[in-house]
Amino acid sequence: ETTAISLSYVMYFLSKNPRCQDRCSEEARRVLGCNQEGGDSQQKQQPQETIDDDLLPYCRAVFTESLRMQLPVMFTTRVISKDLTLDSGTGDGDTCTLLKGTRVFINPSMIHLDERNYERASEFIPERWVRWDEAEGRWLKRDHIEEEKRAEESVYRDSSPTRIRATPPSPFSNEYDDEHAHADNVSAADPANYFSFSDGARNCVGQRLAIMESTILIATLFRDMCVGLAEGPDFKLVNRRIFVTVKPTSLPIVFWKR
């Protein structure tokens, strides 16, 4: 159920960000192939027996970013196994101690939407997880540690370094060029601040399956389709809580062929 709810939010965020649909489609067509029309005949892509989701990093980043923005689960809990002292977060050096046996409720959304953890945290930007590599001609997973190291070296050499990154060519139009460039310039996300599947030895056992099937669905759907909000851009998403899960009260969307 949580995967189905998560995909509902993916549809919502892609409806609000059509430029990301273009990039999903570009990647899917490059990896999976596409139907090509020519003259009176149509050459159909042969069905693939297997699809490697590792070859679809941008589609995976869309799913990852959607979960960062909106989780289908409100919170997770842990019981402290030993006394734990933490920084209070006030900046004055104060600490607080959680005693062994304390049950802790963790709200990942508070972490995901904090500007101290993610640049432009309130914006849907899959590019914070991946970057376009011109040499390989595909999207690659970003390494925030390596990028921070390079940024420090750049500052050491040049007092005004640039963060503008390579942007892939669009096979559709240049309508979203400015939006793409703005997104490509966001800093890399730190996976240590990502708790959509919890973390540690007791993280979500279905994490790999959820990521794999969602990535493949996004690619196969948006290769040839587009999605939009049936009630227009002014539609307001309203969530409802059922026990610990959160899902849209309604989500009227429409699909059409690209």
Side-chain angles (χ1 to χ4, degrees):
E1 182 186 8
T2 52
T3 301
I5 298 172
S6 299
L7 288 170
S8 296
Y9 288 123
V10 168
M11 299 305 136
Y12 171 75
F13 286 115
L14 286 179
S15 295
K16 299 282 286 186
N17 297 271
R19 70 166 194 86
C20 298
Q21 297 184 46
D22 277 9
R23 287 189 161 178
C24 285
S25 181
E26 182 280 325
E27 179 176 74
R29 293 183 177 202
R30 176 164 36 83
V31 174
L32 307 179
C34 63
N35 293 333
Q36 297 180 350
E37 295 185 2
D40 297 328
S41 62
Q42 186 178 35
Q43 182 180 355
K44 294 186 177 296
Q45 174 71 17
Q46 294 298 318
Q48 297 186 351
E49 294 184 0
T50 60
I51 299 176
D52 186 353
D53 63 303
D54 288 333
L55 299 177
L56 300 163
Y58 190 86
C59 292
R60 179 186 293 174
V62 165
F63 182 65
T64 301
E65 181 71 352
S66 179
L67 284 181
R68 183 190 70 83
M69 294 285 292
Q70 181 64 65
L71 271 173
V73 178
M74 288 190 64
F75 58 83
T76 184
T77 66
R78 291 291 186 272
V79 176
I80 304 299
S81 60
K82 60 182 179 180
D83 292 355
L84 179 64
T85 300
L86 302 172
D87 189 312
S88 65
T90 59
D92 53 12
D94 290 344
T95 61
C96 62
T97 299
L98 303 177
L99 301 179
K100 177 181 177 180
T102 301
R103 180 174 292 276
V104 179
F105 288 78
I106 304 170
N107 183 343
S109 293
M110 294 183 65
I111 302 171
H112 292 169
L113 300 178
D114 193 320
E115 289 285 344
R116 293 173 295 181
N117 298 324
Y118 293 94
E119 181 184 356
R120 291 151 56 188
S122 62
E123 298 180 41
F124 180 80
I125 309 176
E127 288 80 2
R128 70 175 82 247
W129 304 101
V130 291
R131 64 177 176 83
W132 177 257
D133 187 281
E134 288 186 328
E136 296 196 26
R138 64 189 182 98
W139 294 94
L140 298 177
K141 183 178 179 180
R142 295 179 68 172
D143 184 335
H144 83 285
I145 296 178
E146 181 64 26
E147 290 190 21
E148 287 180 359
K149 186 184 301 183
R150 290 180 181 177
E152 291 175 359
E153 294 174 354
S154 179
V155 169
Y156 180 77
R157 296 192 304 267
D158 184 353
S159 59
S160 57
T162 179
R163 287 171 53 190
I164 297 177
R165 296 174 173 84
T167 299
S170 172
F172 304 110
S173 71
N174 58 0
E175 179 182 358
Y176 303 114
D177 283 359
D178 291 342
E179 295 178 42
H180 286 328
H182 188 52
D184 291 334
N185 207 31
V186 73
S187 60
D190 182 353
N193 294 327
Y194 188 74
F195 295 94
S196 292
F197 294 97
S198 190
D199 199 10
R202 293 178 176 83
N203 66 352
C204 176
V205 296
Q207 174 179 354
R208 183 68 188 98
L209 176 62
I211 294 174
M212 178 183 66
E213 62 186 3
S214 299
T215 298
I216 293 174
L217 186 144
I218 291 169
T220 54
L221 181 61
F222 288 97
R223 180 184 66 176
D224 300 310
M225 302 292 289
C226 297
V227 68
L229 295 169
E231 298 182 6
D234 295 331
F235 171 78
K236 301 297 183 182
L237 185 68
V238 178
N239 293 320
R240 63 189 176 109
R241 174 185 170 186
I242 302 177
F243 189 43
V244 297
T245 60
V246 180
K247 61 177 65 177
T249 301
S250 66
L251 185 59
I253 57 176
V254 292
F255 291 94
W256 64 93
K257 191 172 182 180
R258 182 176 289 277

